[in-house]
Amino acid sequence: GTLFAQAPAAAPAGPAEPAVGSYVSQRLNRKPLPVTDRVTDDKGVQYVIEFDELILSIRAKHEFRAALKYRQTLASKGARIGQDPLQKMIVFGTWSVVGSELRFVPDPKRGGEGLRILTGTFAGREIDVPFDYRNGTVSRRAAVVLIRDDRIF
């Protein structure tokens, strides 16, 4: 095998890794939750996603669990958007820290179709993470700010 010599690094200013715990979404695209995203396709069908809450659990052994509560509605032109029940999407995987970046690798065998968590950053009790999702035929990116909440396990 190859050996990698590591140069001594200067002491990082903040924590080297995010603390193990649960981080709850505070804002999505700088707005307080719930946040609604609407897309209308060329046939006038409205695709509506309401993001209710994202809880990111940073676990020991570099594992994570992300649980997104959302509501997805389809409405034809002019129809009222109903109150569909909240749905939950759960993604499991592993995380790693590279410099100040927090990288997520979802486990394809354990959920998360349609939700892609991208490389984020962390500082103190806050984690900022962008994710990609699909609304109808449109791919979108949302930026979520999560704050550690010790009441959640």
Side-chain angles (χ1 to χ4, degrees), residues 36 38 44-48 50 71-84:
T36 301
R38 237 171 246 266
V45 176
Q46 278 193 44
Y47 296 84
V48 179
E50 178 191 292
R71 200 175 258 130
Q72 196 159 17
T73 310
L74 224 71
S76 53
K77 206 170 183 167
R80 224 179 114 260
I81 300 289
Q83 281 298 303
D84 289 272

Side-chain angles (χ1 to χ4, degrees), residues 101-122:
E101 289 186 346
L102 182 56
R103 295 184 183 170
F104 297 94
V105 180
D107 179 347
K109 295 185 209 60
R110 297 176 74 199
E113 279 304 306
L115 178 69
R116 239 180 90 233
I117 298 179
L118 304 164
T119 297
T121 56
F122 65 97

Side-chain angles (χ1 to χ4, degrees), residues 38-71:
R38 237 171 246 266
V39 172
T40 305
D41 72 9
D42 49 13
K43 295 179 186 65
V45 176
Q46 278 193 44
Y47 296 84
V48 179
I49 297 181
E50 178 191 292
F51 291 102
D52 192 67
E53 184 179 61
L54 175 67
I55 297 177
L56 175 66
S57 300
I58 295 289
R59 297 175 160 180
K61 300 198 192 98
H62 284 232
E63 293 179 329
F64 79 86
R65 172 187 186 266
L68 177 68
K69 276 197 237 161
Y70 67 101
R71 200 175 258 130

